[in-house]
DNA sequence: CGCGAGCTTGACGTTGTTCAACTAGAGTGG
DNA sequence: CCACTCTAGTTGAACAACGTCAAGCTCGCG
């Protein structure tokens, strides 16, 4: 974990939502005090149960957002790409995080004091609305996740996860970055069954597997499997 | 379903959050046009997939909030008591409902145009903050639910549900209003296993069962079961 | 009186987890 | 350069947990 203090937004190549909102509202950066932090794998970006003090924005790298359950058994809810809010589900007056976030490759995040954010969205309603839209999408996909995890068999769930990852990477061929165990946590199944299903799908010619590189050969079939058939 | 149009908030015994916020902001009710609706069991208060046009507030009665899954298999997320928002999870710029709500006893709801609400929370930040606080709590309990449903055995899940209902009714002795099937949907298990566990708990002296009336005799033991022991 | 919805119980089969053993590759230190 | 160790991945077999099917029961209501 390496801090870059006294960071200046004008030097940042990523013109994030917060930056845009400030410019739109009058361009006063004097109270912003952004903090950029570099992290390596397995460091916590935020930790379930700890206090929410800053809005966190993923600048570069990829991260997993997960709930820490019983007996060290986690469930991964989303994979986060650069240019997305991390603290979002906790922006809204939640004292502590209900989930944890860790990078799955080296990453860089930017932290902004939460009081600044509140002040900003009260002044700038377009910003507030944009937060709410993202928030709404998160909730929608959690709902979907609850159904998927509870009502599909493990074949359908892994198919779902693979389609999700392809969508996320914008291609049918991608390096999923996740270990087998993590792919299992994304589908809420055991590591062993994850392996079994990957080889099963491979043998059926639905996907190609090369280490963590996945290629989806028959997307429509995978979709039918995901829909539970 | 029976509409009471041209309803006047000053005649309403329930001084809800929205009412209070309007009074606080200047007391202009002229654009409010609240609509009160009476519903009986099994009518939809709101329906998954349909458009969100109004904020809905539960005035009287009890309702279940559930996700409609595959093969007519639902999962109940919450039981709603009077004086709570129904549309809440969809207030924030979500075009369609991601869940359904139905009364489990005769109920009465009040509907307010969503544009009015938006206008109100932009003017009144205390109201916005109060919405966000409730929103945050909903999300927190969904997170908890995901873990519960995926990582606890059915004994733990039913124990959880019973403790939840006791909390909701504010007493260890309550009429749960739910059928066995619905209690199962609250715990995401089959109706048959729900019945089996109720009699199991009864035989173990942990609860008393009389139709839909439940009495929790040994709360601490039930808590230990819920914590997965 | 008969019908239907809700409830109850037993038997059975499927699904998925867990345990255990084994393999392959990447570091590490002598 | 070779043991060694550690992690990630893989496979098989045994077992436990749940869901499903089927049948019967009870009570309220037409």
């Amino acid at each position: 974990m390496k801090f870059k203090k006294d960071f200046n937004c004008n030097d940042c190549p990523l013109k994030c939502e917060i930056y845009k909102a400030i410019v739109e509202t009058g361009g006063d950066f004097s109270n912003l005090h952004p903090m950029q932090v570099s992290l390596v794998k397995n460091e916590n970006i935020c930790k379930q149960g700890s206090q929410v003090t800053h809005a966190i924005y993923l600048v570069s790298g990829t991260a997993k957002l997960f709930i820490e359950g019983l007996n060290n058994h986690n469930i991964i809810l989303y994979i986060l790409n650069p240019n997305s809010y991390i603290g979002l589900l906790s922006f809204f007056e939640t004292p502590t995080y209900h989930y944890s976030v860790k990078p799955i490759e080296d990453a860089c995040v930017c932290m902004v004091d939460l009081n600044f954010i509140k002040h900003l969205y009260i002044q700038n309603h377009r910003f507030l609305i944009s937060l709410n839209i993202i928030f709404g999408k998160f909730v929608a996909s959690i709902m979907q996740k609850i159904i998927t995890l509870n009502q599909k068999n493990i074949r359908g769930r892994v198919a779902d996860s693979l389609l999700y990852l392809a969508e996320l990477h914008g291609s049918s061929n991608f390096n999923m970055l996740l270990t087998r165990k993590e792919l299992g946590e994304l589908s809420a199944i055991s590591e062993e069954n994850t392996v079994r299903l990957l080889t099963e799908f491979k043998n059926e010619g639905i996907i190609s597997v090369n280490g963590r590189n996945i290629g989806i050969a028959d997307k429509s079939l995978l979709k039918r499997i995901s829909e539970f058939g």
Side-chain angles (χ1 to χ4, degrees), chain A residues 11 15 30 37 81 107 112 124 191 209:
Chain A
D11 304 337
K15 301 305 182 195
S30 60
V37 184
N81 271 341
V112 176
N124 183 336
E191 180 183 3
V209 180

Side-chain angles (χ1 to χ4, degrees), chain A residues 2 48 51 124 156 168 196 225:
Chain A
K2 230 171 44 188
Q48 188 169 327
Q51 259 197 313
N124 183 336
L168 191 84
R196 269 185 266 269
I225 294 172

Side-chain angles (χ1 to χ4, degrees), chain A residues 23 27 34 56 82-83 101 106 130 133 168 170 189 197 203 216 228:
Chain A
V23 169
I56 308 178
N83 224 342
V101 179
D106 294 356
S130 85
I133 288 175
L168 191 84
I189 67 176
L197 285 171
N203 292 338
I216 297 180
F228 200 33

Side-chain angles (χ1 to χ4, degrees), chain A residues 143-166:
Chain A
M143 296 291 194
Q144 190 51 56
K145 190 104 189 173
I146 291 181
I147 293 298
T148 300
L149 297 188
N150 278 284
Q151 303 190 347
K152 289 185 181 177
N153 62 15
I154 57 172
R155 255 175 91 85
R157 280 187 257 169
V158 171
D160 251 16
S161 294
L162 293 175
L163 290 167
Y164 168 74
L165 291 171

